[in-house]
Amino acid sequence: MNFENILVSKNNNLAQITINRPKKLNALNKATIEELHQAFDALESDVAVKAIIITGSGEKAFVAGADISEFAHFSVDEGSNLARKGQEILFNFVANLATPVIAAINGFALGGGLELAMACHFRIASDNAKMGLPEVSLGVIPGYGGTQRLPQLVGKGKAMEMIMTAGMISAEDAKNSGLVNHVTTQEELLPLAEKIAGKILRNSSVAISAAIVAVNANFEDGVNGFDTEIKAFGDCFGTEDFKEGTTAFLEKRKPNFSGN
């Protein structure tokens, strides 16, 4: 896969996407969002890929926000369409991927950058990272899921403060708030992401995909997450991975999952 704004690499069952616009602090423009969609879609279709890490190039930013110049003169309808399409092709798309996605936040994750990180299944950050949703300082609100996912992760009060003040929080504050799972040095950020991904790769990919569906169901309006869990749990009994996992346990050996 050849792209202009991102880099994609694969090492055995692990893929990495790097947003590669360092001169723009990896800001998300229309082209980058489309390329990210294409990359995630292709990796989701690749049966060999069992986990994905996404990060930003350079040492300053994961993604420092959206490219404001692209929408500064939009109308009401154009603004609504911008948010709707972005959520459909990237942010909600990533959140509902069957393949686990880890955000490795190096530096600034602001606006659309934080929204992208929050769409990932979980996040780790370098100790120099700064996170925030500054949209109200531009006279607009977060439009790529920020008003929904931030309260889910940090609670309503903390989210309201972050959105209303348009301020940034440190990596340590983000960890204490539940926004990120781990904080480490910039040098150890990707190695830590790869270490965690390695633990994921040892487990059943088909079971992990079912778990993602079940966890996400709890946050969908009109969906009973417990019913989703029950069905997904039952469906696991019909998989080869279930047979292999239980047999390996009873035979006191490590399982060799096929992902089926």
Side-chain angles (χ1 to χ4, degrees), residues 63-83:
V63 173
D67 193 332
I68 297 168
S69 64
E70 286 193 336
F71 57 81
H73 303 292
F74 273 15
S75 67
V76 171
D77 287 344
E78 287 172 322
S80 296
N81 290 334
L82 177 72

Side-chain angles (χ1 to χ4, degrees), residues 46-254:
D46 188 337
V47 295
V49 174
K50 307 298 184 185
I52 303 168
I53 296 169
I54 182 167
T55 192
S57 63
E59 298 181 350
K60 294 182 178 180
F62 173 73
V63 173
D67 193 332
I68 297 168
S69 64
E70 286 193 336
F71 57 81
H73 303 292
F74 273 15
S75 67
V76 171
D77 287 344
E78 287 172 322
S80 296
N81 290 334
L82 177 72
R84 183 179 296 107
K85 183 176 181 182
Q87 290 193 30
E88 288 175 355
I89 71 170
L90 182 58
F91 299 86
N92 291 346
F93 188 79
V94 169
N96 292 299
L97 277 188
T99 307
V101 183
I102 304 169
I105 302 171
N106 52 315
F108 292 110
L110 304 175
L114 182 55
E115 289 173 302
L116 177 57
M118 290 192 293
C120 299
H121 297 120
F122 60 92
R123 292 143 294 284
I124 66 174
S126 58
D127 51 17
N128 69 323
K130 299 287 186 182
M131 286 157 261
L133 296 175
E135 284 86 348
V136 298
S137 69
L138 301 173
V140 71
I141 70 168
Y144 288 144
T147 64
Q148 306 304 298
R149 292 193 175 97
L150 187 61
Q152 292 171 2
L153 291 165
V154 306
K156 182 179 178 181
K158 181 72 172 178
M160 285 287 199
E161 179 184 354
M162 288 179 64
I163 292 169
M164 291 178 184
T165 63
M168 294 184 292
I169 63 172
S170 68
E172 199 59 38
D173 193 5
K175 180 184 176 185
N176 292 337
S177 301
L179 183 53
V180 303
N181 292 17
H182 305 279
V183 175
T184 186
T185 64
Q186 189 134 35
E187 294 76 18
E188 289 300 316
L189 182 64
L190 287 178
L192 176 59
E194 292 166 359
K195 180 180 179 181
I196 296 171
K199 294 179 180 180
I200 293 172
L201 297 178
R202 293 200 293 265
N203 299 315
S204 163
S205 60
V206 68
I208 288 172
S209 297
I212 290 171
V213 171
V215 171
N216 282 346
N218 184 54
F219 299 99
E220 295 181 26
D221 289 339
V223 175
N224 187 314
F226 291 99
D227 288 344
T228 301
E229 181 185 89
I230 289 167
K231 183 181 184 305
F233 178 77
D235 288 345
C236 287
F237 282 69
T239 67
E240 292 299 320
D241 276 6
F242 173 76
K243 296 174 184 177
E244 170 61 15
T246 52
T247 300
F249 178 82
L250 294 172
E251 293 178 353
K252 296 181 172 59
R253 61 175 175 81
K254 291 183 178 181

Side-chain angles (χ1 to χ4, degrees), residues 7-10 14-18 52-55 190 194:
L7 304 172
V8 180
S9 61
K10 289 186 282 187
L14 178 61
Q16 180 176 315
I17 299 173
T18 304
I52 303 168
I53 296 169
I54 182 167
T55 192
L190 287 178
E194 292 166 359

